[in-house]
Amino acid sequence: MSICSQKIRGALFQIGVPFASSELIIMPPLSENYAAEYVELRMSSAIARSRPFVSGYTGSSSVENEGFDPLAVPTLVDHHRGEAVADSRLIAAYLDILSGGALVPLQWQNQVWSEIAIVDAIPHAGLFYGANPDGDHRPELIRAGMQGAHSKKIELVSKRLEGLPAESSLRSAYRHKIIKEEAGREFISRPANMRGIIESTKSTIAKLDLRLAGGGGDRLVPEGLTLADIFWGVSLFRLLYLGYDWMWKDCSNVAGYAECLFTSPAIQNGVINWPGHPPGERIERWQRSGG
Ligand SMILES: N[C@@H](CCC(=O)N[C@@H](CS)C(=O)NCC(=O)O)C(=O)O
């Protein structure tokens, strides 16, 4: 269910490289992503060394806004090169290079990366964990699962931190995760914050509609399915699943674009019909029966 992992699976399906998915249960009480072995793997990535750890919460999970979360997914392991790559944006760039530029056409680099930055900044975490104070349309499974989720995560990370040796280099990583989760708990408890991120997301969708209109209605760039389309497909599908599709009720270009993305093999295989995606009333028509 991790939206950042969905982006990467979409990209992997698009370029058609073989991959294995080591699925971690990221929600309490298991939170397998808090295991020291996993955090150590993630800490071996280049971005872990070049960016400050996460230290706050804005509702999005972008490294640009929040810093690097050392206890999150996804992490790509390239077994040929013996290298771990973290953060969905960087992993996507890595896959583009690996595929010889199949995801980001050279002449559309600027447009594609600027769209990806926009999607990365959408406050998906806040919209997933927090309720819309003016009508919560998230599926019951999510509503129930997110009750007290930040507190449960803080408890689990704190236990893991206590169990680390005093000299462990991972201590700071765990401490920062606690800071982030505390800030997240505080953030989503305030209706004004929730209204703010809902409003900003709605405005991001309206601007997408205008850019699509400029491109003829159903394309951001006139060339195949790019990484920007994959990121948008994942993002719009998540908003639909959470009951936020009213945001494009008056945006006919976005509505048509979403329909086109949801039927693409990358989004179908990497997201909608990836085993384990929970069913939902709003997404039923996009899911293969028994998928
Ligand atoms: N900027 C990172 C964000 C990673 C992230 O926030 N991952 C979420 C799932 S989308 C996660 O691991 N959540 C579980 C947790 O925080 O415990 C990326 O794009 O890869």
Side-chain angles (χ1 to χ4, degrees):
M1 272 296 280
S2 144
I3 188 164
C4 314
S5 307
Q6 291 177 336
K7 291 171 185 168
I8 297 311
R9 284 201 303 268
L12 284 162
F13 274 106
Q14 182 65 14
I15 61 175
V17 292
F19 68 96
S21 175
S22 304
E23 310 247 329
L24 302 181
I25 296 178
I26 61 170
M27 290 315 294
L30 289 179
S31 296
E32 295 171 310
N33 49 317
Y34 299 165
E37 295 83 344
Y38 175 72
V39 180
E40 222 161 272
L41 171 75
R42 203 163 156 82
M43 289 296 295
S44 72
S45 66
I47 193 168
R49 293 187 297 273
S50 63
R51 293 301 183 105
F53 283 144
V54 64
S55 58
Y57 190 90
T58 61
S60 106
S61 57
S62 157
V63 169
E64 306 302 323
N65 297 341
E66 316 260 334
F68 177 70
D69 183 337
L71 272 67
V73 297
T75 304
L76 179 95
V77 180
D78 181 336
H79 290 280
H80 287 290
R81 297 198 193 173
E83 202 173 317
V85 189
D87 196 64
S88 57
R89 254 165 98 172
L90 266 193
I91 299 172
Y94 187 88
L95 293 177
D96 179 54
I97 294 167
L98 203 72
S99 68
L103 295 167
V104 185
L106 207 54
Q107 65 275 42
W108 302 109
Q109 293 255 357
N110 288 348
Q111 285 91 331
V112 169
W113 286 113
S114 121
E115 292 294 334
I116 286 169
I118 292 168
V119 178
D120 198 38
I122 294 178
H124 274 292
L127 297 174
F128 190 82
Y129 283 77
N132 180 350
D134 305 311
D136 186 2
H137 300 299
R138 293 173 302 165
E140 185 47 39
L141 177 81
I142 304 301
R143 271 201 247 185
M146 293 309 115
Q147 283 282 343
H150 284 297
S151 295
K152 290 178 203 158
K153 288 166 79 175
I154 294 164
E155 203 179 306
L156 289 172
V157 180
S158 304
K159 269 202 198 117
R160 293 268 189 188
L161 178 60
E162 275 166 33
L164 286 175
E167 69 285 0
S168 169
S169 59
L170 299 182
R171 294 187 74 88
S172 169
Y174 282 77
R175 272 198 218 101
H176 278 268
K177 182 65 168 175
I178 294 172
I179 294 170
K180 171 185 173 176
E181 296 301 329
E182 284 175 346
R185 178 172 60 187
E186 167 72 16
F187 184 97
I188 63 163
S189 74
R190 296 183 185 272
N193 288 340
M194 289 305 299
R195 288 195 180 102
I197 60 172
I198 290 166
E199 205 38 57
S200 76
T201 306
K202 188 170 170 272
S203 137
T204 300
I205 300 289
K207 287 181 197 146
L208 169 65
D209 199 60
L210 293 179
R211 291 197 299 284
L212 284 166
D218 59 351
R219 291 248 155 251
L220 284 168
V221 303
E223 209 173 304
L225 192 89
T226 72
L227 198 51
D229 301 315
I230 293 171
F231 271 52
W232 268 120
V234 170
S235 180
L236 292 170
F237 189 73
R238 174 56 58 93
L239 291 172
L240 167 69
Y241 174 68
L242 295 179
Y244 282 111
D245 48 319
W246 55 263
M247 288 182 176
W248 57 89
K249 186 170 58 63
D250 300 322
C251 300
S252 59
N253 297 304
V254 174
Y257 181 54
E259 299 239 341
C260 163
L261 297 177
F262 297 167
T263 52
S264 70
I267 301 296
Q268 274 284 314
N269 295 327
V271 183
I272 304 179
N273 288 296
W274 183 258
H277 195 296
E281 212 181 293
R282 288 183 187 81
I283 60 167
E284 175 166 276
R285 73 178 263 236
W286 303 106
Q287 290 192 304
R288 281 194 287 267
S289 48

